[in-house]
Amino acid sequence: MPTHLTAPMVRARKGSDHPLVMVTAYDAPTARVADGAEVDLILVGDSVAMVVLGYDDTLHVTVDDLVHHTAAVARARPRPMIVADLPWMSYHTGRADAVRNAARLIRAGAQAVKLEGGRKRVPVVEAIADAEIPVMGHLGLTPQSFHTMGGFKVQGKDLDAAKALVDDAHALAEAGCFAIVLEGIPDVVAHLITESIPVPTIGIGAGPHCDGQVLVFHDVLGFDDRTQPKFVRQYANLKVDAISALRAWAADVRSGAFPSDAETYHLTGDLAGALATA
Ligand code: KIV
């Protein structure tokens, strides 16, 4: 696997037989796991708000938070390309703010940034791309629009909404996005978008016809208690395993079985004796 897939390499995977695989990671150990699994891209998502920091939505994380988590991921030096989320209100206040905040994420170790929204984001996408920073788009169920959508709801379910999503995807691709995440939309709409735009689509709850798929690390590995959307496929139950491992350790501590002699540092015989009689 090459070190660091680049934005042009991701773009060149459009329509290829090798779907892009992206998973979120938020710190060095999760980045090392994603690297070990040889995924193509790591997303330092603003989902960190919900799966790591305990918030009910993604609106509570700031650029400082994303910089902190992106730097932790980057310190693991993972081979997958690192994409960092621009959080809510980091690009809604104008092009200069958007470029400045995108640059902070790049300096923290990301190779690209992602932002949410359609045609109305074209000016900021162009500004960030003009600053030589690769930008990934994100359409459909965009969690930063939680309040205006009236909750985490599947989008693009009627003809007008579906057409608007197709137009949004074209606008983002033309503005310079090198790939677009499609989240929580019907499969036919995702298929239509995927077939009609020149950059890869990466789906989450958007069916099988995208150029790639993304899931949240904690969802795939069963590290979370939250009710999962139907698009999540869980491949492990690490929360159950972790609880049972900690229970076993606690039982060993309480019974005196931990630590063993082999898990203990010793002084050499003479010093131990001298200390005992001192
Ligand atoms: O923050 C995130 O995890 C995301 C994915 C759901 C695409 O944006």
Side-chain angles (χ1 to χ4, degrees):
M1 189 172 116
T3 308
H4 288 318
L5 205 61
T6 62
M9 287 158 82
V10 170
R11 201 178 186 291
R13 292 270 286 273
K14 175 71 193 174
S16 90
D17 290 340
H18 302 291
L20 292 159
V21 180
M22 180 161 83
V23 70
T24 65
Y26 312 104
D27 54 22
T30 53
R32 285 189 198 104
V33 172
D35 187 8
E38 299 191 0
V39 303
D40 298 308
L41 302 110
I42 286 175
L43 173 65
V44 188
D46 60 358
S47 52
V48 68
M50 298 170 77
V51 296
V52 175
L53 301 177
Y55 294 113
D56 289 333
D57 56 55
T58 59
L59 306 180
H60 293 85
V61 280
T62 63
V63 177
D64 285 347
D65 294 324
L66 266 296
V67 163
H68 178 76
H69 287 278
T70 301
V73 165
R75 279 193 288 271
R77 300 198 175 282
R79 284 163 299 176
M81 177 177 180
I82 302 173
V83 181
D85 257 343
L86 279 162
W88 181 60
M89 290 309 287
S90 67
Y91 55 95
H92 305 69
T93 51
R95 295 152 64 109
D97 283 350
V99 173
R100 196 175 307 113
N101 289 322
R104 288 194 63 200
L105 295 172
I106 297 297
R107 287 196 170 129
Q111 284 99 40
V113 299
K114 174 169 82 59
L115 56 76
E116 297 183 4
R119 274 154 292 176
K120 60 185 163 193
R121 301 294 172 230
V122 162
V124 289
V125 168
E126 286 174 345
I128 295 169
D130 280 353
E132 314 302 344
I133 297 172
V135 199
M136 184 179 281
H138 185 162
L139 288 173
L141 194 175
T142 45
Q144 291 174 15
S145 315
F146 172 74
H147 290 302
T148 45
M149 289 183 310
F152 295 109
K153 293 186 173 155
V154 175
Q155 302 294 300
K157 284 170 77 176
D158 63 52
L159 201 56
D160 286 345
K163 281 184 179 162
L165 280 174
V166 176
D167 291 347
D168 282 339
H170 279 279
L172 289 180
E174 266 166 42
C177 285
F178 71 98
I180 300 177
V181 168
L182 300 178
E183 177 167 0
I185 62 173
D187 54 353
V188 282
V189 181
H191 196 181
L192 184 61
I193 293 173
T194 301
E195 287 203 319
S196 66
I197 63 169
V199 299
T201 58
I202 303 180
I204 172 162
H209 304 296
C210 298
D211 298 299
Q213 297 288 330
V214 53
L215 280 178
V216 168
F217 184 95
H218 293 61
D219 295 345
V220 184
L221 295 177
F223 221 135
D224 212 304
D225 270 331
R226 291 171 309 127
T227 313
Q228 300 297 1
K230 73 183 250 178
F231 59 75
V232 171
R233 190 180 294 177
Q234 195 179 310
Y235 287 83
N237 202 336
L238 293 194
K239 183 172 180 203
V240 168
D241 291 348
I243 289 173
S244 100
L246 280 181
R247 274 187 190 283
W249 173 67
D252 283 350
V253 171
R254 289 175 186 133
S255 72
F258 178 90
S260 69
D261 195 54
E263 290 155 337
T264 303
Y265 296 110
H266 300 289
L267 287 174
T268 57
D270 288 354
L271 280 174
L275 196 62
T277 54

